[in-house]
Amino acid sequence: AASSMSLLRASRLPSHGLDPEHPLSQEIATVCQQHWDSWGASTEGMELLESDGPLEVYRSCLEQEGAAVDPILARHTVTGVSAREVAEMFWNLQYRLDWERTLDSAPIVLDTLASDTLLLQQIYKRLWPTAQRDSVFWSHIRHAEQRTMVVNCSTEVGAPPLASGRQRMQLNVSLICETELPEGGRLPTERSQLRCRMQYSARVHPGGWAPMAVLRQVAKREYPRFMRRFSGYCVDRVKHMPLWV
Ligand code: 6CM
């Protein structure tokens, strides 16, 4: 019985990931559940930063100890890609520098916690007139039924010390994607029959001092830009790839 139990556990690893004894295991489970349950969250009372067809980007102004941590919530729907494909391109580092423009260098893999969970360090472009930022976060992907989610969330577990002159941003980000199948729920044969609904949410604390007005201005410009660039990239990248629903 013992050996069949361990076999069962081993065979579950690729989708359930982390060893339950790992110090990050509980935190990842809790944070991911919160994001998973936020699908369809209300944007009431939030400021609409951008609205362009199916693309909507909202922000609420929130300050914590004098720093702007304005939560962002964005929605978009794109044709020709599945939830799995979009989430994979957000999570898998092989695609990161193709769409991510805020980075100064390629992400550093500090640890592979499981086949679906990485511990990463990212170093960002310096935003004048503030210090350069980095971030250390676990990045987890999970799939259930029509939905795939990626969560990127800062942690101190396994984080290297801060390089001098740098500050560390704290982020809590998720991208939840849902595949919209054609009428009747049949599996599509062509990409034109497939749509992906996306919900992106971000809460970023700048870490050290940064002028609020500059941050807010950059956020207002960069989040809509990210949503367009990233979703456009996904649609384009999968065009000649076999469908993965
Ligand atoms: O979620 C996004 N990217 C993920 C993978 O990199 C990850 C990163 C989140 C960091 C979000 C905060 C960026 C703020 C950087 C300010 C300094 C750079 C300014 C350079 C201007 C070109 O979850 C997409 C993040 C989209 C941010 C707009």
Side-chain angles (χ1 to χ4, degrees):
S3 75
S4 74
M5 270 306 285
S6 63
L7 239 180
L8 189 67
R9 208 171 133 198
S11 71
R12 285 164 54 123
L13 271 177
S15 56
H16 291 268
L18 207 54
D19 178 347
E21 303 300 321
H22 190 280
L24 279 170
S25 169
Q26 194 47 49
E27 177 186 319
I28 294 177
T30 310
V31 175
C32 287
Q33 190 64 49
Q34 285 165 357
H35 282 286
W36 189 261
D37 295 339
S38 78
W39 177 256
S42 160
T43 49
E44 215 178 278
M46 295 181 86
E47 172 196 3
L48 184 60
L49 287 185
E50 174 108 3
S51 165
D52 178 9
L55 173 65
E56 288 178 350
V57 184
Y58 294 87
R59 157 168 83 184
S60 35
C61 286
L62 183 69
E63 286 163 32
Q64 258 170 25
E65 299 126 31
V69 292
D70 308 350
I72 296 287
L73 198 125
R75 296 210 163 91
H76 200 8
T77 302
V78 284
T79 302
V81 272
S82 70
R84 266 178 193 269
E85 291 169 328
V86 172
E88 181 69 18
M89 282 184 261
F90 188 69
W91 182 76
N92 191 322
L93 297 180
Q94 133 185 30
Y95 306 104
R96 177 97 8 124
L97 294 182
D98 292 347
W99 57 264
E100 177 62 276
R101 296 293 152 87
T102 66
L103 299 184
D104 204 38
S105 46
I108 299 160
V109 181
L110 297 171
D111 201 355
T112 300
L113 304 174
S115 62
D116 54 13
T117 315
L118 302 171
L119 184 67
L120 300 175
Q121 180 180 32
Q122 292 196 150
I123 299 163
Y124 299 86
K125 286 179 184 161
R126 192 171 165 233
L127 185 66
W128 185 89
T130 75
Q132 186 168 47
R133 258 68 182 172
D134 80 350
S135 65
V136 176
F137 58 98
W138 49 263
S139 181
H140 176 78
I141 185 166
R142 73 170 56 180
H143 176 80
E145 290 156 23
Q146 238 74 272
R147 233 173 258 175
T148 312
M149 171 178 81
V150 176
V151 179
N152 292 338
C153 188
S154 284
T155 181
E156 275 163 30
V157 178
L162 196 53
S164 83
R166 248 187 233 151
Q167 278 164 351
R168 186 155 288 168
M169 286 193 310
Q170 302 297 323
L171 54 93
N172 188 350
V173 170
S174 70
L175 177 71
I176 313 174
C177 302
E178 189 176 83
T179 303
E180 238 180 63
L181 294 173
E183 292 283 313
R186 51 198 168 78
L187 279 185
T189 49
E190 286 172 39
R191 289 203 168 271
S192 61
Q193 302 169 324
L194 185 73
R195 299 204 312 160
C196 175
R197 281 199 239 158
M198 306 158 62
Q199 176 180 295
Y200 174 82
S201 101
R203 215 174 238 259
V204 179
H205 189 292
W209 176 83
M212 248 184 251
V214 175
L215 280 187
R216 290 194 161 136
Q217 198 186 346
V218 171
K220 184 173 181 156
R221 185 184 71 217
E222 293 299 327
Y223 284 105
R225 208 179 256 184
F226 151 69
M227 289 299 288
R228 285 204 181 87
R229 190 190 313 114
F230 173 67
S231 56
Y233 170 76
C234 293
V235 171
D236 214 56
R237 189 71 172 75
V238 298
K239 261 184 193 151
H240 305 292
M241 281 161 56
L243 250 175
W244 183 32
V245 182

